[in-house]
Amino acid sequence: MRLLISCLLLGLANAGEYSERFLTLYNQIVDSNNGYYSSHGVPYHSLENMLVETVDHGHETDSEAISYNIWLHAMYGAIADDFAPFNNAWSVIENYLIPQAQYNMDKYNPSLPVGSAQFSVGVDPIYNELKSAYGEEKMYVMHWLLDVDDNFGFGNVQGQCEKGPSAGGPSFVHMGAGSVWQGITYPTCDNFTYGGTNGFSFSSSTPNWHYNAAPDADARVIQAAYWASQWATQKGKISEIQSTLSQVAKLGDFLRYSFYDVLYRQAGNCMGTSCPAASYKESAHYLLSWFIGWGGDVNTANGYSWRTGSSEMIIGYQNPVAAYAMVNDPNLSPKSATGAEDWKNSLERQLELYAWIQTSDGSLGGAVTNSWKNVYGTPPSDVQGYTFHGLYYENEPLDDDGTSDWFGMWSWTTDRLAQYYYITGDETARSVLEKWFTWLYQHMTVSDNSYSVPMMISWSGSLPTNAKMNVLESGSRFFGVGSSIARSLSYYAAKSGDSKAKSTAKQLLDVIWKNHKDSKGLYVRSDLSAFTAVNTKVYIPVDGWTGTYPNGDKITASSSFLDIRSWYKQDENWPQLQAYLNGGSAPVVDYHRFWEQADMALALGAYSLLFE
């Protein structure tokens, strides 16, 4: 009995206000009655299905939410001494996010990595070493988008190609070209069962497949695994998660494809015909780029497959914690011959980029590219004259969908930099953060009852030396931006001893908790006025193309967003929206985005671990 009482007292002594808040929110998130997860354990983008932003309905999910999920459960292990949920979160990634249906990967030719000889293309420098290390040809990174309940009915469930509505379960999908209101959602594997004569293939006459990875999300998984490794080691439980960590290390090994130019051409000073195809790693820019793509034919006869990285590198995607982990944590060591070396180069290059891209007022610039205007064009003379390892500055990636106008990209990346600074004490990181927070304090307010942080931004200037980040909108409509700012301030304060950073972090956490709390977690109240865009006409890349979805919805040039998503009319909020479209007032919905719940929980947990 005395031992039991001693344990209880020890538990109470270690408990604190912010760890209790973390556990309260964590328990609300994992409570099945609240509905954050599907029956397969996959987190939805949001509780509410009627939500259109990076997804076209809230019961899709993306690799971003999935990466937040595993990080959330890593933090739970640190606070509750239980790492089983962390292992389970990894199982969700392996079971549903890393695709198994990758046909003809045994026919991949690393000397012709994009599958066509019509371009000047370099060689894939890492395929053979990955195959040697892991004994398989398939790519091992996450596809970025899942139709969690198979609303569209394609049935691209794990390992299958267009099995239809009866397949159920998480289905791999793509977002079509154009804005999210214009896009035609289509399957990753296209057997021509649905869509038009050639399925949803506007340029192929044979059944085909392809996937895209969002490297920042895969890197966040590595970041989460690093912290899980540290916390489990401290608690003497590292053996419980070593199997998971070894698989995350494998994912990190394959994530290196994001380091390479889209056509494996020379990285740096790359313009037109003067940009040679690389014979080895001359194509490596060593930054986390916009995407990884891979695909091929479905049929085996004369089949082929391809894989590629990207030439667009936004500062918001960089993750020095992930790079540090792949180099320095023995539990996350890559097996390939040059994996650790590549990640070491990436860590150095990322830190350089933070300093190089920082503007004179302390904000961080946008992006660099190895392919000007996506065609290896000729940049303006001032851009040519001031490069980053030969990469050209641009405020936004050319293929950006508006993401780089959202301030969350900057609150996320500086949070990672602050964590790296906390881990290492790196002076470059400290200097960048000090200037960054000086700028940020001028563009945010926080009190006991309210707060306002940047939400949307725009750019002026053509180089980091004259660029300026202009805040277009401030407020609290994404409380996850506020919580990630609080977390970055916490890590910075814990290492530097900066009292203002610590007190501002605490204020932000307190006011978000006070203003956004409800019975299901944390919410943001929003009206559905944006849904007037449901009448937006869809974008069809090829004139005259028509098709049909599995549920019979017709897709033509005159179809609208809503016409090809008739199942939206079954949503519980549809009657209110219909009344609004008929001339009534805009209905109000309390949104519960998964990533925001997790981000706030992680900020609370970090503050507890650092200061309580």
Side-chain angles (χ1 to χ4, degrees), residues 229-484:
S229 175
Q230 301 307 300
W231 295 326
T233 298
Q234 292 167 11
K235 295 174 180 297
K237 295 190 174 185
I238 189 64
S239 63
E240 297 179 10
I241 65 170
Q242 277 181 319
S243 176
T244 292
L245 296 179
S246 67
Q247 295 304 103
V248 175
K250 178 180 176 182
L251 178 139
D253 225 349
F254 279 81
L255 184 58
R256 290 183 295 148
Y257 274 101
S258 69
F259 296 167
Y260 293 91
D261 178 71
V262 66
L263 293 182
Y264 300 92
R265 293 185 181 179
Q266 169 186 290
N269 304 307
C270 189
M271 289 185 289
T273 56
S274 64
C275 183
S279 60
Y280 186 50
K281 291 192 177 182
E282 300 89 351
S283 59
H285 46 69
Y286 293 112
L287 297 169
L288 289 163
S289 61
W290 200 243
F291 66 88
I292 298 171
W294 72 107
D297 280 344
V298 172
N299 300 326
T300 55
N302 301 315
Y304 76 96
S305 60
W306 56 270
R307 58 182 73 180
T308 185
S310 173
S311 303
E312 303 281 341
M313 288 71 70
I314 185 173
I315 189 65
Y317 269 34
Q318 306 315 304
N319 192 325
V321 177
Y324 177 87
M326 294 296 295
V327 175
N328 292 284
D329 189 332
N331 295 303
L332 291 166
S333 296
K335 288 184 180 180
S336 69
T338 65
E341 178 187 352
D342 276 1
W343 276 107
K344 181 176 182 293
N345 289 333
S346 178
L347 176 58
E348 294 171 355
R349 193 67 57 87
Q350 288 183 51
L351 291 172
E352 282 186 71
L353 181 62
Y354 280 104
W356 182 85
I357 214 166
Q358 190 161 39
T359 67
S360 59
D361 65 1
S363 62
L364 296 179
V368 291
T369 181
N370 195 50
S371 177
W372 189 256
K373 301 301 182 185
N374 262 357
V375 292
Y376 299 97
T378 302
S381 58
D382 61 335
V383 175
Q384 289 186 53
Y386 188 79
T387 65
F388 178 76
H389 290 272
L391 304 176
Y392 307 118
Y393 178 77
E394 54 185 3
N395 285 325
E396 298 181 0
L398 184 67
D399 55 357
D400 179 35
D401 58 2
T403 300
S404 58
D405 293 332
W406 180 63
F407 188 75
M409 280 292 170
W410 280 263
S411 66
W412 283 349
T413 197
T414 49
D415 170 41
R416 298 173 198 133
L417 187 63
Q419 291 178 47
Y420 175 76
Y421 169 60
Y422 173 78
I423 295 165
T424 66
D426 182 88
E427 181 58 27
T428 297
R430 185 207 62 77
S431 177
V432 171
L433 289 166
E434 184 177 49
K435 297 171 188 174
W436 165 255
F437 288 127
T438 298
W439 177 89
L440 185 58
Y441 288 141
Q442 297 170 8
H443 294 86
M444 62 179 282
T445 59
V446 57
S447 68
D448 292 342
N449 297 310
S450 66
Y451 70 100
S452 177
V453 296
M455 290 287 148
M456 302 300 294
I457 62 168
S458 68
W459 289 99
S460 58
S462 59
L463 293 170
T465 54
N466 61 26
K468 180 177 175 57
M469 179 187 284
N470 306 297
V471 178
L472 298 180
E473 176 194 341
S474 295
S476 58
R477 69 183 178 99
F478 288 98
F479 67 79
V481 174
S483 60
S484 59

